[in-house]
Amino acid sequence: MDQPAPATMLIDRSVIRIAGEDVRGFLQGLVTADTTLLTPDAPAWAALLSPQGKVLFDFILWAEGDDVLIDVEAAQAEALMKRLSLYRLRRAITLQPDDTKVHWSPNGSLGVPDPRLAALGHRWLAPAGDPATGWHAHRLSLGVTEGVAELGSGETLWLECNARELNGVSFTKGCYVGQENTARMHHRSKVNRRLVVAPFTEPSSRTRVTYPELNLMVEHRRVDALGDALTPPWLAAALTETL
């Protein structure tokens, strides 16, 4: 008897297709990742920032021929398309929802390693399937934050979202929106606060979102007052370099 297919679809994610004239060049001047390095086997975590370097949207970019697919939080997909359309001007570029869905597995041979952290598991784009289970808890257990509830919208500097440590920014590409402040922070090692995952307690002014069912919460804390925050190896190494 055939075994049922594993449940892999991330139901809180949507895909946007960007097609047309020099799509990568269009995105290169906007987002934090180097779009010239995208290949089907090498997606990139990136963000669209405010001019001050604060994250507005985070997403994963995928190459598909001359097109680029954006794997984004479903609740933010329409807002992201509207924001990108503001920069399109007279370019012959289209932005539209795509029927492709985002899939995830903590292990196995399908897909490619998550561009942020290999321990997050494998990710791929495919037709709809059964909803995955366990992704949210797995991601938070590794101290990785994402989405507007955790990162905020125009509230948090991109490097405070651990973008440098999780491969979410290029310091060798040309200019993009928010690049000046982001580069300055990087070269001066002035990341004084971090988004961290911590055990659930009474929320405070630094709390972004709580997950009582997982006994976890996301907070925006000073690096000299991380307290009981989870410090997985990737974060511990970064903190050692800056302390």
Side-chain angles (χ1 to χ4, degrees):
M1 180 180 296
D2 291 339
Q3 295 295 317
T8 60
M9 186 177 70
L10 298 180
I11 60 173
D12 62 344
R13 305 294 291 185
S14 290
V15 176
I16 299 168
R17 179 178 295 273
I18 307 185
E21 176 188 331
D22 189 19
V23 169
R24 295 188 191 210
F26 167 66
L27 290 172
Q28 185 77 337
L30 296 177
V31 306
T32 59
D34 188 343
T35 61
T36 67
L37 303 179
L38 289 176
T39 72
D41 295 327
W45 187 45
L48 182 64
L49 308 180
S50 71
Q52 295 75 34
K54 295 183 178 182
V55 60
L56 301 175
F57 304 92
D58 77 299
F59 38 79
I60 294 177
L61 301 173
W62 297 80
E64 187 182 88
D66 293 332
D67 297 353
V68 172
L69 301 178
I70 304 182
D71 158 4
V72 65
E73 187 178 13
Q76 296 300 309
E78 184 176 355
L80 176 58
M81 284 193 293
K82 288 181 178 178
R83 178 61 67 117
L84 290 173
S85 294
L86 295 176
Y87 295 103
R88 184 175 51 182
L89 301 177
R90 295 181 180 274
R91 285 177 182 256
I93 286 176
T94 61
L95 299 98
Q96 59 187 14
D98 194 84
D99 291 336
T100 306
K101 303 300 181 184
V102 181
H103 294 257
W104 163 78
S105 175
N107 47 51
S109 59
L110 291 175
V112 297
D114 192 295
R116 292 166 289 186
L117 189 69
L120 284 169
H122 280 211
R123 202 174 183 100
W124 66 98
L125 304 180
D130 292 331
T133 58
W135 160 248
H136 198 193
H138 181 66
R139 173 176 65 79
L140 290 170
S141 74
L142 293 170
V144 177
T145 56
E146 68 177 21
V148 69
E150 296 172 11
L151 309 187
S153 181
E155 302 170 45
T156 316
L157 293 164
W158 186 225
L159 296 190
E160 295 178 344
C161 302
N162 307 305
R164 178 171 53 195
E165 293 73 27
L166 296 173
N167 307 308
V169 59
S170 169
F171 295 107
T172 58
K173 62 174 282 186
C175 293
Y176 55 88
V177 179
Q179 183 263 348
E180 184 176 356
N181 198 29
T182 303
R184 184 184 301 115
M185 287 182 65
H186 168 65
H187 292 299
R188 295 181 179 177
S189 298
K190 291 290 186 180
V191 185
N192 296 322
R193 291 177 173 80
R194 297 274 183 170
L195 278 181
V196 293
V197 180
F200 176 71
T201 57
E202 186 68 25
S204 68
S205 59
R206 60 186 185 177
T207 305
R208 284 295 173 79
V209 62
T210 62
Y211 302 108
E213 71 281 7
L214 299 175
N215 197 35
L216 294 172
M217 63 199 307
V218 172
E219 295 206 324
H220 190 215
R221 296 184 180 181
R222 291 189 57 85
V223 296
D224 57 2
L226 292 182
D228 59 356
L230 305 185
T231 52
W234 64 263
L235 179 56
L239 294 173
T240 299
E241 292 175 2
T242 56
L243 292 178

